[in-house]
Amino acid sequence: MSETLAKPAAKQTDEVLYEAADGVAVITLNRPERMNTISGPMLAQLTELLLKANADRDVRCVILTGTGRAFCAGLDLVDATKGSGIGSATQASAVSVNLDLRNTPPTVLFAMDKPTICALNGAAAGYGMDTALGCDIRIMAEGAKLAAAFVKRGVVPESGGTWVLPRLLGWSKAAEIIFTGRTLSAKESLELGLANEVTPDAELMDRARAVAAEIAANAPLAVQSAKRLMRMGLEETFNDHVHHVYLQFLQLVRTQDFREGMASFLEKRPADFKGR
């Protein structure tokens, strides 16, 4: 893998931070004083930085995490009840019936070709839970939790949860969690398969970076193709999917990375993939 120069992190006043080095981008929700609850500026910055990571050829994996004691506690209810921010009466009166969701974080996150890891440093409630579920892999700190509190606040999982959760757990278990508004501990999330692993709180980012580095060491074109095919397979018949897989395979065997993968295997050495 070619060396990647570290890019400077965003200003500390930004509501979302970004850094990238060694093939891994880390995007950090940064409203710790509000438990990383969502605001309009945060959503705009998150979309921008997800697109930035996906377009950067040097980035091979993305970690999404939060600062402070929460990953994302959902909607900023303080701003909403004050009449400002997302969900306020002022904003609701101006909402159009024609919504353009193409550039919102959930749709951008779903469409990303780069693998995504959610490093859950704390509570993920509402929008935060949907965002975590939208990532490919979830690594949870022992003190983290997933809170499906939507119906307790008079809303539905608005950012993909009703689509993702039944596919991850099956209809009945997803229905139980969503309809009850249940909160799941890290241990419960692991047992259900919503978390890939649980780590001590202090080791969370080290573990997330280790998994990201393992992904980044592989041929990036192949990894990204595999993710696209997995996404397509959610809606395809088996025969249609096999056809698409074969077309992608024919393209990959013509790449430099395929030749490097074969050579490194025969020579019993680590591969040096270039993404070409």
Side-chain angles (χ1 to χ4, degrees):
M1 182 176 64
S2 60
E3 298 234 352
T4 305
L5 296 177
K7 299 176 177 66
K11 296 177 181 178
Q12 291 299 309
T13 54
D14 286 350
E15 294 193 352
V16 186
L17 307 180
Y18 184 94
E19 61 173 309
D22 300 321
V24 178
V26 179
I27 299 175
T28 307
L29 305 180
N30 187 47
R31 298 184 80 208
E33 73 286 355
R34 294 286 186 92
M35 295 183 69
N36 297 323
T37 49
I38 61 171
S39 67
M42 174 184 278
L43 291 183
Q45 289 179 32
L46 180 55
T47 293
E48 176 187 347
L49 294 175
L50 288 171
L51 291 171
K52 176 180 178 179
N54 202 47
D56 188 342
R57 287 180 57 87
D58 290 332
V59 171
R60 300 185 178 185
C61 188
V62 178
I63 297 173
L64 182 60
T65 191
T67 54
R69 61 192 180 94
F71 169 66
C72 174
L75 176 68
D76 189 336
L77 297 178
V78 175
D79 281 354
T81 54
K82 286 181 178 179
S84 61
I86 298 171
S88 66
T90 301
Q91 187 193 65
S93 65
V95 170
S96 169
V97 295
N98 297 313
L99 300 177
D100 184 355
L101 301 177
R102 289 173 296 179
N103 290 316
T104 60
T107 51
V108 169
L109 187 61
F110 178 75
M112 285 182 66
D113 288 335
K114 306 293 175 69
T116 53
I117 298 172
C118 186
L120 284 149
N121 55 297
Y127 183 90
M129 178 173 172
D130 273 2
T131 302
L133 294 178
C135 292
D136 301 312
I137 295 169
R138 282 163 295 284
I139 301 175
M140 296 182 71
E142 289 177 338
K145 56 188 177 181
L146 296 173
F150 307 94
V151 296
K152 293 181 183 293
R153 306 291 180 261
V155 294
V156 296
E158 80 288 352
S159 302
T162 49
W163 191 90
V164 175
L165 205 58
R167 285 168 167 78
L168 292 175
L169 298 180
W171 182 277
S172 295
K173 200 64 186 179
E176 178 186 341
I177 292 169
I178 292 173
F179 299 166
T180 62
R182 188 161 297 164
T183 295
L184 304 170
S185 67
K187 181 175 181 292
E188 290 171 319
S189 299
L190 181 64
E191 291 171 348
L192 286 169
L194 293 178
N196 293 73
E197 58 183 278
V198 174
T199 70
D201 293 24
E203 299 174 14
L204 175 68
M205 285 308 295
D206 285 344
R207 181 57 189 152
R209 288 181 185 276
V211 175
E214 189 175 357
I215 293 171
N218 292 321
L221 298 179
V223 171
Q224 292 163 37
S225 293
K227 179 173 177 178
R228 280 196 301 274
L229 289 164
M230 289 170 65
R231 188 169 60 232
M232 292 167 63
L234 292 171
E235 305 295 337
E236 291 181 325
T237 66
F238 179 77
N239 287 339
D240 286 345
H241 189 67
V242 169
H243 178 73
H244 287 139
V245 169
Y246 185 63
L247 292 176
Q248 191 69 74
F249 175 81
L250 290 177
Q251 293 296 318
L252 289 171
V253 297
R254 299 170 62 186
T255 64
Q256 294 179 26
D257 280 355
F258 174 74
R259 293 190 291 274
E260 169 63 12
M262 296 300 100
S264 63
F265 174 77
L266 294 173
E267 296 167 11
K268 303 186 186 313
R269 60 172 175 79
D272 182 16
F273 294 116
K274 304 296 186 183
R276 300 182 180 86

